[in-house]
Amino acid sequence: MSSIPATIATENADRRSRVDARHDVWFRRLLKVCALLVLAALLGAALSTLWGGREVLLGHGLHFLTSDAWNPVTNDYGAWAPIFGTLVTSLIALILAVPTAFGIALFLTEIAPAWLRGPVAMAIELLASIPSIIYGMWGLFVFVPFMASIEPGLSEMLGRIPLFGKLFQGPPIGLGLLTAGIVLAVMILPFICSVMREVFQTVPNRLKESSYALGSTTWEVVWDIVLPYTRSAVIGGIFLGLGRALGETMAVTFVLGNAYDITASLLMPGTSISSSIANEFNEAVGTHRSALIALGFLLFVVTFVVLLVSRLMLRQLARREGA
Amino acid sequence: MFNLKSIGIYVAAIAAATLLGTAAHATDITGAGSSFVYPVISKWSAAYAAKTGNRVNYQSIGSGGGIAQIEGGTVDFGASDKPLDAATLAKFGFGQFPDVIGGIVPAFKVEGVAPGKLVLDGATLANIFLGKITHWNDPAIAKLNPGLKLPDAKINVVHRSDGSGTTFNFTDYLSKVSTEWKAKVGEGTAVTWPTGIGGKGNEGVSAYIRQIPNSIGYVEYAYAVQNHLGYARMKNAAGQVVQPDAASFQAAAATADWANAKNFDLLITNAPGAKAWPITATSWVIMYKQPKNATHSKVALDFFRYAYTDGKSAAAALDYVPLPQSLVKQIEAYWKAEFKQ
């Protein structure tokens, strides 16, 4: 009597597990499709920009990468000026944003009183959600006049230093690589800072407390305990910000000055890959359009190279830690 | 409940009205292209719909996009700030004609020089934009402005960073008046600027001119007027100093050599008339001569006929200039001869 319900129970369980297994298989396939969709979209975008830019990429060859000419009238295109502008503005942004973000995140997780943490963290998150066009308008109408007013002093003070001073010589018009870099820094700051704050919070309290118990200062705790513990995530956050800086379009277009020039001075106007595309795509036809699409492909390549370098850096770090 | 019900009735009424409305509408036509003409076309379109019930939907996507759309046959007309050449027109079976006139003015901000007081000529303007004249007190500028106190300050040149019909006409003018400009830079919707900084759109250029001391740039006349920018007077091809206004733009359109321009393929910069403003521009409508949809094409032509007559005041209110009567007559003749109506 008792064996019959038991068989039913096992049969039920068998059926259940078969159904579960089938569901599992479908679920796994569904997830795989989702993941592949991302890959397909990425590959599709890369290939279509490559295809759209083939006329210039093939026709100009290496000249397209190395030349700083950009002449839609004679259809002579070189991407070096936009690449240069993109890299320089992003670099300035990183140099300014990373230490600041680090400071803010440390303050919020280690030093600030509990009642202050919530509001400041919220303010940073809000900063991240401001559309880039607003930063562009702010940059153009508020920040550019401000920069124009301090640039004469800046040239006077820093421009005299040999070699380094070259960076700060130029007409005080307020627009240019430095202004664009600073606006970008404000834009990427919240991204880097949020990530840092989140990961600093994950450091186990007992580690920090033991270090404090051994007599470490706050700085020593941060430098020797918190940072090594969260290193890869912090670098990940920095590259998230860098990725945004490389591709930022509208805000940069407003304050960069949009001149296809390569200059030693940070006060001079320049151009970036994405702002060139945004500026000229509307009215471009034929080879000009092809050149702009090829620029888009180059942005892919630049971003990819930057990500690759960051991966290699992380791996190197991990290896050194293991050793 | 009451509210919900009344909303329901309201929605039903609107739906019914829309349905009836579409039934009553003869045709909806579409156009795309130049952002330069967008404000005036949308104004004409509203007035035209009120009068005839036919609606014109215009997408302001830029001249390049407008040409691509009409080539693809996805719109009933395209609008471009740059005329198509005879070969392209023949290849696709297009006809083209001008729709409205606009002026481009050199705008500047110089300490101690009042708006409208500065006089420039073509060669000087070209040399400023070439970076050859670098200071406001240059003899070339001083010679044109006797009695005007010009500062010993560097000229900050501002140009458009985006590709635009404004740039196309401006550089075309400079190419006509300066052989050096023609050889070194040339004309186009975007060019390699020898000097200066680029602002995005008319608003970008005018923001830079306002903020950067001792600057000079070029903007559409309508934009300069509406934003109270200081603009310069120009010495035209006839050697007369003229003021940018509706009369001088119309004089340029009227004295330009349309009669010898096949398919209206003519830029009216540096027009010969004594009263003509030298940097005057038109925009072109491009349509199929043998359209797939004859009704749509007919409505489109009727729309532009309306624009040339009843639409004049609407254009003037937006600081565009309606085409002179002589030119409208030529366009009507062109329609009769070339378009299947």
Side-chain angles (χ1 to χ4, degrees):
Chain A
M1 281 295 269
S2 64
S3 70
I4 296 166
T7 5
I8 292 172
T10 27
E11 261 175 33
N12 270 349
D14 276 356
R15 196 186 308 144
R16 180 74 203 276
S17 67
R18 273 201 306 277
V19 170
D20 276 356
R22 202 164 59 226
H23 284 180
D24 259 359
V25 169
W26 278 110
F27 187 60
R28 220 171 290 147
R29 282 182 192 161
L30 188 71
L31 291 186
K32 205 184 270 174
V33 167
C34 289
L36 286 179
L37 215 58
V38 174
L39 273 184
L42 187 71
L43 206 67
L47 286 179
S48 60
T49 47
L50 188 62
W51 180 248
R54 68 188 185 284
E55 188 187 339
V56 167
L57 287 171
L58 291 179
H60 283 51
L62 217 57
H63 174 78
F64 184 63
L65 275 184
T66 54
S67 161
D68 62 346
W70 185 270
N71 194 336
V73 179
T74 56
N75 278 329
D76 177 20
Y77 301 101
W80 181 226
I83 294 177
F84 173 82
T86 306
L87 292 179
V88 170
T89 50
S90 299
L91 192 70
I92 297 173
L94 273 192
I95 290 173
L96 294 174
V98 169
T100 318
F102 183 64
I104 296 173
L106 273 187
F107 177 74
L108 286 181
T109 51
E110 302 295 325
I111 296 164
W115 60 268
L116 195 61
R117 293 180 188 191
V120 175
M122 185 105 89
I124 290 168
E125 235 114 270
L126 275 178
L127 213 55
S129 65
I130 296 176
S132 64
I133 184 83
I134 305 290
Y135 279 105
M137 296 313 249
W138 168 78
L140 179 58
F141 290 113
V142 181
F143 194 60
V144 167
F146 169 74
M147 285 301 284
S149 70
I150 66 160
E151 274 176 8
L154 208 63
S155 306
E156 188 70 14
M157 215 162 54
L158 300 172
R160 289 199 189 144
I161 307 168
L163 227 60
F164 178 75
K166 274 227 162 52
L167 292 178
F168 296 98
Q169 288 164 353
I173 46 178
L175 301 158
L177 297 166
L178 183 64
T179 310
I182 296 175
V183 171
L184 272 183
V186 178
M187 294 181 73
I188 65 174
L189 181 71
F191 288 88
I192 302 178
C193 188
S194 305
V195 172
M196 283 184 174
R197 196 181 61 90
E198 295 286 332
V199 297
F200 287 175
Q201 279 172 345
T202 65
V203 178
N205 267 335
R206 61 193 152 79
L207 285 184
K208 290 193 275 184
E209 279 160 10
S210 349
S211 182
Y212 279 123
L214 289 173
S216 304
T217 60
T218 310
W219 174 252
E220 281 165 344
V221 169
V222 166
W223 196 251
D224 295 326
I225 307 291
V226 174
L227 213 50
Y229 192 85
T230 57
R231 186 181 286 145
S232 63
V234 165
I235 294 183
I238 293 174
F239 278 94
L240 187 73
L242 179 59
R244 186 175 161 134
L246 287 172
E248 177 48 43
T249 312
M250 287 325 290
V252 172
T253 306
F254 276 94
V255 297
L256 189 50
N258 302 305
Y260 285 89
D261 289 331
I262 296 171
T263 52
S265 171
L266 298 181
L267 305 187
M268 293 295 278
T271 186
S272 81
I273 296 179
S274 49
S275 73
S276 296
I277 297 173
N279 269 325
E280 292 176 22
F281 203 74
N282 259 3
E283 296 286 335
V285 282
T287 315
H288 190 189
R289 180 169 282 242
S290 171
L292 291 171
I293 298 175
L295 265 190
F297 178 72
L298 279 189
L299 189 59
F300 255 111
V301 175
V302 169
T303 316
F304 183 73
V305 167
V306 165
L307 280 180
L308 200 70
V309 168
S310 76
R311 289 277 144 170
L312 287 177
M313 238 163 81
L314 275 182
R315 191 178 295 174
Q316 201 74 24
L317 277 178
R319 196 175 298 157
R320 205 183 307 156
E321 244 154 63
Chain B
M1 272 317 273
F2 172 75
N3 258 341
L4 219 70
K5 211 171 182 180
S6 66
I7 289 171
I9 291 170
Y10 199 63
V11 167
I14 290 176
T18 323
L19 277 177
L20 285 176
T22 34
H25 269 301
T27 9
D28 280 8
I29 62 167
T30 52
S34 157
S35 46
F36 167 68
V37 294
Y38 171 70
V40 67
I41 286 196
S42 62
K43 199 153 189 188
W44 283 338
S45 163
Y48 185 68
K51 195 183 163 208
T52 63
N54 296 327
R55 279 188 299 208
V56 178
N57 302 308
Y58 184 75
Q59 303 154 1
S60 166
I61 55 172
S63 303
I67 294 170
Q69 295 250 330
I70 188 73
E71 281 176 359
T74 51
V75 291
D76 298 308
F77 68 89
S80 170
D81 296 338
K82 197 172 170 175
L84 294 179
D85 57 23
T88 317
L89 289 174
K91 184 179 159 204
F92 290 95
F94 288 151
Q96 75 183 356
F97 51 89
D99 48 8
V100 75
I101 303 167
I104 297 159
V105 295
F108 69 94
K109 192 180 103 176
V110 181
E111 202 63 45
V113 181
K117 285 281 173 261
L118 187 71
V119 176
L120 293 171
D121 63 8
T124 313
L125 195 62
N127 283 335
I128 290 175
F129 276 82
L130 275 169
K132 281 176 72 185
I133 293 179
T134 57
H135 283 76
W136 279 107
N137 60 354
D138 191 279
I141 305 177
K143 206 175 131 197
L144 288 163
N145 296 280
L148 201 59
K149 204 172 146 30
L150 291 157
D152 178 17
K154 200 179 163 296
I155 301 177
N156 287 309
V157 171
V158 184
H159 54 74
R160 287 279 289 266
S161 64
D162 49 334
S164 71
T166 311
T167 299
F168 175 63
N169 281 287
F170 185 72
T171 51
D172 175 75
Y173 171 64
L174 295 186
S175 295
K176 278 179 183 163
V177 294
S178 158
T179 46
E180 188 176 351
W181 182 274
K182 196 181 169 101
K184 274 194 183 160
V185 184
E187 60 187 69
T189 54
V191 300
T192 309
W193 295 95
T195 181
I197 51 172
K200 186 163 166 52
N202 282 304
E203 61 280 6
V205 170
S206 62
Y208 286 173
I209 293 172
R210 281 214 200 95
Q211 289 173 11
I212 301 171
N214 304 312
S215 54
I216 184 166
Y218 59 93
V219 290
E220 275 161 30
Y221 171 70
Y223 201 87
V225 169
Q226 283 151 24
N227 291 280
H228 311 289
L229 283 180
Y231 44 77
R233 287 178 292 159
M234 291 288 296
K235 196 178 245 187
N236 64 15
Q240 304 289 320
V241 173
V242 284
Q243 180 83 22
D245 55 22
S248 62
F249 300 158
Q250 263 204 334
T255 56
D257 189 18
W258 291 107
N260 290 319
K262 213 167 173 317
N263 296 311
F264 302 97
D265 184 358
L266 175 72
L267 294 175
I268 56 176
T269 53
N270 208 25
K275 293 204 173 90
W277 178 251
I279 329 174
T280 309
T282 46
S283 179
W284 286 261
V285 176
I286 300 160
M287 287 172 62
Y288 283 102
K289 287 178 181 172
Q290 307 283 338
K292 269 177 267 165
N293 191 328
T295 334
H296 281 199
S297 197
K298 207 171 156 189
V299 171
L301 289 183
D302 188 56
F303 170 68
F304 287 107
R305 189 172 291 124
Y306 168 86
Y308 295 148
T309 50
D310 297 0
K312 274 183 179 176
S313 57
L318 290 172
D319 292 305
Y320 291 86
V321 180
L323 302 184
Q325 201 50 44
S326 56
L327 183 55
V328 172
K329 279 214 179 88
Q330 290 178 53
I331 295 171
E332 299 253 7
Y334 178 74
W335 286 353
K336 207 170 251 173
E338 302 278 345
F339 282 85
K340 191 178 117 186
Q341 286 195 69

